Structures are given as structure tokens and as C-alpha cells.
Amino acid sequence: MDLLGDLDASYIDEAACYPKRFRQRRIWSRAAGIAAAVAVLLTGGFLLRARQEPLQYEPTQLLLTDASGNVTVTYAKESELPEKSFSASDVSVSDRILYSAEETFGRTDTVVFYGEVTNIREIKIAWGREKEFGALIEFSVEKVYQGTIRSGDTIRVLVSPHHWIYSACVDHMDDLTVGAKGVFMPFVLDASHEIRYDEETVLAKKDLADYELDDRWMITESDGKVHFSFYNTLRVPFNSMEQVLAFLDNWYAEEK
């Protein structure tokens, strides 16, 4: 006991404190380990979510299949677009073509629907040093009169340069704005539909859309008036879109 009494008091104090510091070190080590595990889980979850939800971006160049050759299609910039140059007022009355209801609504190579324009992207078609412009238009289908499409579908429709920029019905084509509604009758595209610029330069239309709309096959309404395509001068007095839809209901019911 005398020997113990000769021990320096500082050694006794240090020995008494050592287990406490050791316990504190173990607690901090455990806390750091838990924090690291949580960080790994959060990081892993973020990376997994990033893989499941890839970044959304819209390429400027559209991918084409081998059915097209020596041509590129890109989304056009507004500054690139030419002015539309050919309007209905330039065409004489003798050039007008009168279609019957059967010729207008009875074609088997079209889909006929009432719907709304939801998106318009103008495109630039380029080959060599040449270029021309068209449009890709998305429609929300509300009512189907003919074809395999269904109400609620969204379909993409091509408007080729001949009809988008140089249309004889440019005033009517101007009705095609986002939010516009009407009856649309686009043609169903297949492998035979193409724009051929020369023997080696060709654009397969189906690379861009499943349907194509030209200036003759739509009925729109704006400023309180029903607008026919210039060539679709039907002998039926349509003063409102309601009258158009009622006519189509009756016409297709009788055809069936």
C-alpha cells in the first residue's frame, strides 16, 4: 500500500479516464460508419434513379433508316425558314377541283379523325448543297371516323415541303397552329412513299412519320368560320364545326 501511495496522482487520473475516452472513440466510430452507409445508400439510389430515368434531350438531327440515302433531316431554326410563297389567291377559279363527299371522305388510304394540333416542328431536309423545309405535326385524336387509330392516340404527321412552304392553300395551312382543332385526313405512309432527289438521294417518308397530310385534306375552324382546303369545295354548307361533325356522323353511319 505504501508503494501505491508513492504513485504519481496524474497516472491514476489518466488510468481512470482511459476507458471513457475509448468508449467515446467507439461511439464516434460507429456514428461515422452509419453515416458512411447512409451516404452510400443515397448515392446508390441516385445513380440507380439516374439509370432508370435517363436525361431527356431532343436531338437536332433525326435518325433515318437505310431506306433513305445521302440526305439529312434536322429540326429547323426559325431564322432558316423561307417565306411561304404561293397562296390560294394566285390560283384562278378554273383551277379549282370540286371533290364529292365520296372522293373526300371515302378514300381507303387515309385515316379520318377530329383532333387537335399539339406540337409542330419544322424540319430541314438537306442533300449536297440543296435544302428544303417541311414540318412534323403531332395531333391528339379525339374522335375517329376511319382508320386503325383510336381516340386518345397521339399521332405524328409529315407535311412535305411541297405543301408546307409552296402550298396553293398557304392561307389554309396557316390554320395549323398549336391548339387548332379540325377534321384531318392524312394519308397512311408505307415503304413506297419517298422523296427522290436523284438516283442516289432519297428520303423515305416513313422514316419521319406514319402519316402525311397535304393541303387538300383538312377542315379547320378559326375566327368563327369553317375553312376548307382550297380544293375541297364540297357542295355542303358548313357554317360551324358542329355541322361538319354532324355531317360526318351521318355520312359514315350510312356508309357502314
Side-chain angles (χ1 to χ4, degrees):
M1 292 296 295
D2 292 338
L3 291 174
L4 290 176
D6 291 338
L7 288 174
D8 192 313
S10 63
Y11 293 143
I12 298 175
D13 292 339
E14 183 178 356
C17 293
Y18 180 79
K20 184 176 180 180
R21 288 204 306 272
F22 180 72
R23 288 195 300 271
Q24 289 175 341
R25 186 180 300 114
R26 290 187 62 187
I27 291 172
W28 281 109
S29 298
R30 288 177 181 176
I34 293 172
V38 171
V40 169
L41 289 174
L42 291 176
T43 303
F46 174 78
L47 293 175
L48 178 60
R49 187 166 58 252
R51 285 195 294 270
Q52 293 174 339
E53 301 175 6
L55 293 175
Q56 300 298 315
Y57 68 96
E58 187 172 30
T60 57
Q61 183 165 328
L62 283 71
L63 297 178
L64 304 177
T65 69
D66 292 339
S68 299
N70 295 328
V71 64
T72 61
V73 180
T74 57
Y75 290 117
K77 300 177 181 178
E78 187 174 354
S79 59
E80 296 178 299
L81 298 173
E83 292 186 5
K84 296 181 179 181
S85 59
F86 186 50
S87 70
S89 60
D90 296 325
V91 183
S92 67
V93 175
S94 61
D95 291 327
R96 298 186 182 186
I97 302 173
L98 301 181
Y99 286 118
S100 66
E102 176 65 32
E103 292 170 322
T104 302
F105 304 116
R107 298 179 62 104
T108 59
D109 56 352
T110 64
V111 293
V112 181
F113 66 93
Y114 174 75
E116 179 180 351
V117 177
T118 57
N119 190 32
I120 299 176
R121 292 302 304 268
E122 291 175 293
I123 56 174
K124 179 174 69 174
I125 304 167
W127 68 102
R129 296 184 178 181
E130 304 295 329
K131 60 185 177 183
E132 59 182 5
F133 297 85
L136 293 175
I137 302 180
E138 290 183 355
F139 292 90
S140 175
V141 178
E142 296 187 18
K143 185 172 184 177
V144 179
Y145 291 98
Q146 177 175 286
T148 58
I149 57 176
R150 296 177 297 178
S151 176
D153 285 351
T154 296
I155 65 172
R156 175 187 280 188
V157 175
L158 169 68
V159 182
S160 68
H162 175 69
H163 299 292
W164 186 246
I165 299 297
Y166 310 113
S167 170
C169 308
V170 65
D171 297 334
H172 188 210
M173 294 298 284
D174 283 345
D175 283 347
L176 287 178
T177 58
V178 173
K181 291 189 173 185
V183 174
F184 304 97
M185 296 163 273
F187 296 91
V188 179
L189 294 175
D190 59 33
S192 68
H193 294 97
E194 60 183 30
I195 303 175
R196 183 167 290 277
Y197 299 102
D198 57 46
E199 291 184 0
E200 298 180 351
T201 305
V202 59
L203 172 63
K205 293 182 178 181
K206 196 167 173 58
D207 281 355
L208 302 178
D210 291 324
Y211 307 93
E212 180 179 11
L213 181 68
D214 73 28
D215 49 13
R216 295 172 292 177
W217 304 103
M218 60 184 183
I219 305 173
T220 57
E221 184 177 27
S222 62
D223 301 325
K225 296 180 180 180
V226 174
H227 296 174
F228 284 86
S229 171
F230 183 75
Y231 295 107
N232 277 343
T233 312
L234 295 176
R235 300 176 180 86
V236 182
F238 292 146
N239 297 314
S240 68
M241 187 57 65
E242 288 75 15
Q243 289 182 341
V244 174
L245 300 181
F247 173 84
L248 292 179
D249 287 338
N250 294 332
W251 194 86
Y252 280 104
E254 292 176 359
E255 289 299 307
K256 292 178 180 179

